[in-house]
Amino acid sequence: MTGTKSNDPLVPLQPFFDELKQHLAKTTAENLKANRTPKQLRAVADATFDAFTSTISGIEKLSPPEKPFDCKKGCAHCCHQTVLTDGATALRITTYVRENFSPADRMLLDMRLIAYEEKVEKMTRSQRSLSRIPCPLLVDNVCSVHPVRPLICRAFNSYDAESCKKQIHGGGSTTEIPSWNIPWLLGIALDNGLKEALVESGYSEGDVELGLALKAALDHPHAEERWLAGDKLLARAAWSARKP
Ligand code: SF4
C-alpha cells in the first residue's frame, strides 16, 4: 500500500507524531532487549496497534475527519495492493492464525499462500507494486485477521470507494484517493518507530511482504522463537530481496 492524499490542511500534529515515534522506538528496543520472548514480541506489536488506535480516537474527538468514510465491511479495493510490514507484525499475525483459525480455514489459507507465492515470487519490485493481487488474508472480501492487521491497513481510509476502485484497479495512484491523512501520517510514524526498534535489536530484514512473511513463518512451528534467536526465516520475504 502506498500513501494517500487528502484535502486536510497541513498537519500540525507531525511533531507530536515524531515524538510518539521516538518514544515507541526507545521503549520497544528496551523491552525487546530485556526480554526476547514470543510473549514480549506479541506485546510489542499489540502496544504499537494500541498506540495507533488510542491516538486516533483522541484526535478524532477534537478534530474529526471532514466527512464520513466510505469504507465498510465487504469493500476491499485497498486489500489488492502490496502490504509491506515488519517482522513483529508478521509474526503477531502468524500467532493469531495459529490460535484462531479452524483446521479448515487454516488449510484454505495455506492453499492461498502457496498460490500467492507462485504468482509473486519472480516479480520485480515495480511489477509487484503494480500488480493488483488480493491479499491472501482476504476472505469473501473481509480481512480474516482484522484484530491484528498491520498498521498500514489500519491507516488506510477513503472518503470515496469509487475513487479507490478507479485508482487501485485502474492502475492509478492511491495518492489521488480522497482521504483523512492524519491516520496515515500517524501510521507511518509508528511503523517507522517499530522498524527502527527492531533494527536496533538486531532484526534487520526491514520491510517484509506480508503474504510471503506469513507463508515463511507458518512453515515453521516455532517461528517466533527462531526469529527471536536470530534465524533469518523472514529474509525471503524482505522487500529489499526483490530486484527493482
Ligand atoms: S491484512 Fe487484512 S486489511 Fe490488510 S490487506 Fe490483508 S486482508 Fe486487507
Side-chain angles (χ1 to χ4, degrees), residues 87 90-91 93-95 98 106 109-110 112-114 116-117 136 205 208-224 226-227 231-238:
L91 289 162
I93 294 172
T94 304
T95 303
R98 287 207 168 108
R106 173 63 199 276
L109 173 61
D110 287 344
R112 286 197 302 277
L113 287 172
I114 290 168
Y116 175 87
E117 185 176 53
E205 64 273 280
V208 293
E209 201 173 325
L210 177 60
L212 294 180
L214 188 60
K215 167 94 176 50
L218 284 170
D219 283 346
H220 296 287
H222 302 290
E224 285 176 302
R226 288 181 59 173
W227 187 80
D231 188 325
K232 303 288 183 200
L233 61 94
L234 300 184
R236 56 195 286 270

Side-chain angles (χ1 to χ4, degrees), residues 136 147 158 168 183:
S158 169
I168 292 172

Side-chain angles (χ1 to χ4, degrees), residues 1 78-79 83 93 135 137-138 142-145 149-150 153 210:
M1 291 186 184
C78 59
C79 299
V83 179
I93 294 172
C135 174
L137 290 162
L138 194 62
V142 174
C143 177
S144 57
V145 296
R149 67 199 186 286
C153 305
L210 177 60

Side-chain angles (χ1 to χ4, degrees), residues 68-217:
F69 297 138
D70 209 9
C71 308
K72 53 183 158 313
K73 195 171 181 181
C75 180
H77 302 304
C78 59
C79 299
H80 289 70
Q81 301 177 83
T82 311
V83 179
L84 298 182
T85 187
D86 59 274
T89 301
L91 289 162
R92 179 71 189 92
I93 294 172
T94 304
T95 303
Y96 181 87
V97 166
R98 287 207 168 108
E99 291 178 349
N100 292 279
F101 277 35
S102 68
D105 287 344
R106 173 63 199 276
M107 190 185 72
L108 290 170
L109 173 61
D110 287 344
M111 288 165 64
R112 286 197 302 277
L113 287 172
I114 290 168
Y116 175 87
E117 185 176 53
E118 279 172 6
K119 267 189 205 156
V120 306
E121 66 183 343
K122 295 208 167 69
M123 287 181 181
T124 62
R125 285 205 286 271
S126 63
Q127 286 169 335
R128 181 66 191 97
S129 296
L130 292 172
S131 62
R132 296 306 187 210
I133 296 167
C135 174
L137 290 162
L138 194 62
V139 179
D140 296 332
N141 277 343
V142 174
C143 177
S144 57
V145 296
H146 195 263
V148 291
R149 67 199 186 286
L151 273 183
I152 199 166
C153 305
R154 289 161 201 257
F156 200 95
N157 67 82
S158 169
Y159 292 139
D160 178 21
E162 270 308 306
S163 178
C164 298
K165 186 176 171 185
K166 187 172 152 208
Q167 299 303 334
I168 292 172
H169 297 296
S173 164
T174 52
T175 57
E176 299 304 320
I177 296 170
S179 64
W180 190 34
N181 66 358
I182 287 177
W184 189 256
L185 295 172
L186 176 64
I188 290 173
L190 294 179
D191 199 39
N192 286 339
L194 179 54
K195 282 172 189 160
E196 268 180 29
L198 294 178
V199 170
E200 197 186 321
S201 306
Y203 308 109
S204 57
E205 64 273 280
D207 280 326
V208 293
E209 201 173 325
L210 177 60
L212 294 180
L214 188 60
K215 167 94 176 50

Side-chain angles (χ1 to χ4, degrees), residues 19-39:
E19 261 183 54
L20 275 181
K21 174 196 154 188
Q22 297 300 347
H23 176 72
L24 179 81
K26 185 168 176 285
T27 53
T28 301
E30 283 169 2
N31 288 340
L32 269 182
K33 276 179 199 161
N35 191 7
R36 291 179 194 253
T37 62
K39 192 173 168 197

